[in-house]
Amino acid sequence: MAPADNKAQVQIAIPVYGMTCEHCVRRGTKALEELPGVENIRISLADSKAVFSLDTTQVGIDEVNRVIEEAGYATKPVPTAGAGDSFVDLVPADQKQQFKVSGMTCANCALTIEKKLKVIPGVHTVAVNFANETVTVAFDPRMVDASKLFARVRDAGYIPLEDKDENQAGQSVVNQRNWLIFSAILALPIMPLMYLPMTGPVLYTMFALATIVQFTAGWIFYRGAYHALKNRAANMDVLVAMGITAAYGYSVMTTFQLFEGPIFFDTSALLITFVRLGKYLEAKAKGRAGQALKRLLELQADKARLLVNGEEKEVAATDLKIGDVVLVKPGEKIPVDGEIIAGRASIDEAMLTGESIPVDKGTGDTVFGATINRSGRIKVKTNRTGKDTVLSGIIKMVADAQGVKPPIQRLADMIANYFVPVVVTIAVITFLVWYVFLHSTFVFAFTAAIAVLVIACPCALGLATPTAIMVGSGVGLNRGLLFKSAAVLEAVSGLQAIGFDKTGTLTKGMPEVTEIIAVAPYKDKDLLQIAAAGEAPSIHPLAQAVVGRAEKEAL
């Protein structure tokens, strides 16, 4: 509503690119507050947008753009607003792209990808989930497309995967298991050899076994460390690479008599094996959580009975189009979201509502894909298919909940960003303290420094948080609980009381006969026998409850 003094007041929304933190928001807000006629300023970091009221008699939009750009951020040209009160929204609808990324080894890898993508003009938000290896990007389709995103990810040293193959998770588990077995077979024999006299054959055998492990199973850490340092970041691969290189390199020099001292071939080979074990367990955890989402996908109907000129034709449910009419018989899943145009049926909507009792529906009523027709033949006109169905929306919501970062994960990521440099610094300080100040031997000080790197390298902090979010939402899904966001899942830990808006949520989901009241001359068993005989052909849950009670009493 226009102010009483008839100012030329308009509500403006303009994009503000280049903000990376809340400090940027405060800086942009302060810059706008200094302009006369600019009021009610709200800047959103997530949407990369500034919304404010503007008195056009005091300041023009060009001046606003200039002030924002002087503050260090980018804007786009703004069309002239109409007279009087109006709302001008100049931010185009974001396009969202979600894709898998192969090659991430820790939380710092996820942070590296985020930094690389955020600086692309037109990219508004980036969320990288290390646990399920997905990247979700919201961007202006007029400024950037998926090919640019993929190119930037490849430049960072990772592999974007357009095809979300369901078998990828299973193949990852198999690959990690095979590498674990391979490295264990070669590394374990080194341990007993360490107790033998260090003769030439023993030394060269250990050297050969450790070298194979170092540059096959261990090569992934060198590759990850190279890309991390290339991107001016330090991830867990840097720690592992430093630890195994120090132990292996010193042992090689000792073997070829450049130094005199103990051999550490077992340290480097076993470290690689243990980290490979961690990666295998990590891949298994991801796979189990992914299976929960896969089971939700399996709720969808595969086939449909398409009616063409009055004749039934079995087709794939994915081939149906809006306006197609399908026939659904008792006991079958409804393949699409649509409207009943003929017939009546009891529809089991437990997968949507949690209510175990079917809902009676007839002509004109709406039905949803993946719900079950318990009784009656119905003809359904297709209204929504594919990604537009209610079930697809639920699946997307669950997938987003697994991929979006909750506050606790942002904290973990921030700590992980400083974790590696701190660990390396501590390792150097450890060496200097023991060797320089406490006058210990070089070998002892060197071993202590390696121990710091080895103990720190698995980075449980960076891995545990995203994995817990993903596994937690998967466990909830298995038990019929859907989390709309990861932040909600995190907040569950603080719940003191829960309110339920329907009793069906708290039941077993299967009706039971609790009491039989017979009227003379019939007895309870006679009445139950007659009722069960009549209900036996039906698949309605209430009918099955009567039949089940009769079977329990062996009638």
Side-chain angles (χ1 to χ4, degrees):
M1 181 177 291
D5 56 3
N6 294 322
K7 292 180 183 178
Q9 193 88 10
V10 293
Q11 184 97 357
I12 299 290
I14 62 173
V16 180
Y17 300 119
M19 297 188 296
T20 58
C21 61
E22 289 300 326
H23 174 73
C24 299
V25 172
R26 290 193 293 271
R27 184 176 178 181
T29 302
K30 185 177 179 180
L32 290 177
E33 285 175 344
E34 294 177 355
L35 285 174
V38 178
E39 302 173 350
N40 304 321
I41 303 164
R42 300 187 309 278
I43 298 182
S44 170
L45 176 63
D47 297 332
S48 297
K49 182 165 66 173
V51 180
F52 51 89
S53 299
L54 179 67
D55 182 358
T56 56
T57 62
Q58 297 188 53
V59 65
I61 195 66
D62 291 338
E63 181 68 10
V64 172
N65 286 338
R66 185 187 64 77
V67 167
I68 291 177
E69 288 170 1
E70 286 182 354
Y73 310 107
T75 64
K76 296 180 67 176
V78 180
T80 305
D85 291 334
S86 61
F87 184 84
V88 185
D89 191 354
L90 303 173
V91 179
D94 281 351
Q95 179 177 325
K96 275 197 173 183
Q97 177 83 21
Q98 189 176 76
F99 55 92
K100 290 272 188 181
V101 172
S102 174
M104 290 192 292
T105 58
C106 69
N108 286 60
C109 296
L111 291 174
T112 298
I113 294 174
E114 282 191 11
K115 290 176 182 176
K116 285 286 185 181
L117 293 178
K118 278 182 177 178
V119 298
I120 301 175
V123 171
H124 298 160
T125 60
V126 181
V128 182
N129 188 296
F130 166 54
N132 59 10
E133 298 179 326
T134 59
V135 178
T136 305
V137 186
F139 58 91
D140 182 348
R142 297 180 299 183
M143 300 179 66
V144 66
D145 56 20
S147 62
K148 287 185 180 179
L149 301 177
F150 291 166
R152 188 60 62 93
V153 172
R154 291 190 192 95
D155 182 59
Y158 306 96
I159 305 170
L161 304 172
E162 295 183 64
D163 182 20
K164 295 182 180 180
D165 186 1
E166 294 179 2
N167 297 321
Q168 284 174 358
Q171 188 60 44
S172 176
V173 174
V174 172
N175 289 340
Q176 294 297 347
R177 182 200 65 193
N178 292 344
W179 275 116
L180 171 62
I181 294 172
F182 174 79
S183 56
I185 289 173
L186 294 175
L188 293 178
I190 298 177
M191 292 185 65
L193 291 175
M194 295 292 294
Y195 295 95
L196 298 178
M198 291 294 117
T199 60
V202 173
L203 277 174
Y204 294 132
T205 300
M206 289 193 296
F207 168 69
L209 293 173
T211 301
I212 295 172
V213 175
Q214 189 85 5
F215 298 107
T216 54
W219 186 250
I220 186 175
F221 306 117
Y222 287 110
R223 187 173 63 222
Y226 165 74
H227 287 298
L229 296 175
K230 175 187 171 185
N231 295 320
R232 297 180 181 178
N235 61 9
M236 295 306 112
D237 286 336
V238 174
L239 287 183
V240 178
M242 290 179 66
I244 62 177
T245 301
Y248 175 79
Y250 181 84
S251 301
V252 169
M253 289 186 286
T254 303
T255 300
F256 292 99
Q257 300 179 350
L258 297 176
F259 285 125
E260 287 188 7
I263 302 295
F264 293 110
F265 283 129
D266 59 331
T267 301
S268 61
L270 289 175
L271 174 57
I272 291 171
T273 302
F274 284 134
V275 177
R276 280 290 183 180
L277 172 62
K279 288 189 173 294
Y280 170 63
L281 296 176
E282 173 190 323
K284 284 196 71 173
K286 293 176 185 177
R288 283 196 297 269
Q291 287 297 318
L293 193 58
K294 185 178 178 182
R295 280 192 286 273
L296 190 58
L297 287 165
E298 289 172 351
L299 290 174
Q300 301 174 104
D302 296 325
K303 302 291 183 181
R305 301 177 187 273
L306 177 63
L307 291 178
V308 181
N309 298 325
E311 295 184 2
E312 293 181 30
K313 180 182 179 183
E314 189 172 276
V315 298
T318 53
D319 293 339
L320 293 175
K321 300 179 181 63
I322 294 176
D324 285 346
V325 177
V326 296
L327 175 67
V328 186
K329 296 181 179 180
E332 294 180 345
K333 286 183 180 180
I334 297 173
V336 292
D337 288 8
E339 178 185 335
I340 298 176
I341 59 173
R344 294 192 62 82
S346 294
I347 309 299
D348 181 356
E349 296 184 337
M351 54 79 60
L352 284 178
T353 64
E355 295 287 1
S356 55
I357 303 300
V359 180
D360 290 332
K361 295 194 174 186
T363 304
D365 290 331
T366 301
V367 292
F368 304 99
T371 56
I372 301 172
N373 179 7
R374 290 298 185 186
S375 64
R377 290 164 58 97
I378 54 174
K379 293 180 181 179
V380 178
K381 182 181 179 181
T382 304
N383 291 339
R384 291 190 296 269
T385 62
K387 295 181 179 180
D388 297 326
T389 63
V390 171
L391 179 60
S392 294
I394 293 174
I395 293 170
K396 183 179 183 300
M397 182 181 71
V398 174
D400 288 345
Q402 290 186 345
V404 173
K405 290 184 179 181
I408 187 65
Q409 188 175 336
R410 295 194 196 101
L411 174 62
D413 286 350
M414 182 182 71
I415 295 172
N417 201 26
Y418 300 101
F419 184 78
V420 177
V422 169
V423 169
V424 173
T425 303
I426 293 173
V428 172
I429 293 173
T430 301
F431 175 81
L432 294 176
V433 167
W434 282 108
Y435 187 64
V436 177
F437 298 103
L438 300 180
H439 306 294
S440 296
T441 64
F442 175 82
V443 172
F444 182 86
F446 184 67
T447 305
I450 291 177
V452 173
L453 297 176
V454 169
I455 291 169
C457 65
C459 188
L461 174 70
L463 171 65
T465 305
T467 303
I469 293 296
M470 187 177 65
V471 173
S473 60
V475 171
L477 181 58
N478 285 336
R479 301 186 179 186
L481 302 173
L482 304 181
F483 295 96
K484 190 172 184 180
S485 72
V488 172
L489 179 60
E490 179 185 338
V492 167
S493 62
L495 290 181
Q496 300 297 318
I498 302 176
F500 295 90
D501 66 344
K502 53 181 180 284
T503 57
T505 310
L506 305 176
T507 66
K508 296 177 182 178
M510 294 291 292
E512 294 180 354
V513 175
T514 58
E515 188 177 2
I516 302 171
I517 303 174
V519 179
Y522 298 102
K523 296 181 179 180
D524 288 357
K525 286 191 175 182
D526 296 333
L527 180 61
L528 179 59
Q529 191 171 27
I530 294 170
E535 298 286 14
S538 174
I539 60 173
H540 194 283
L542 295 181
Q544 290 300 304
V546 174
V547 175
R549 177 64 179 266
E551 290 176 347
K552 185 177 180 180
E553 298 191 11
L555 295 179

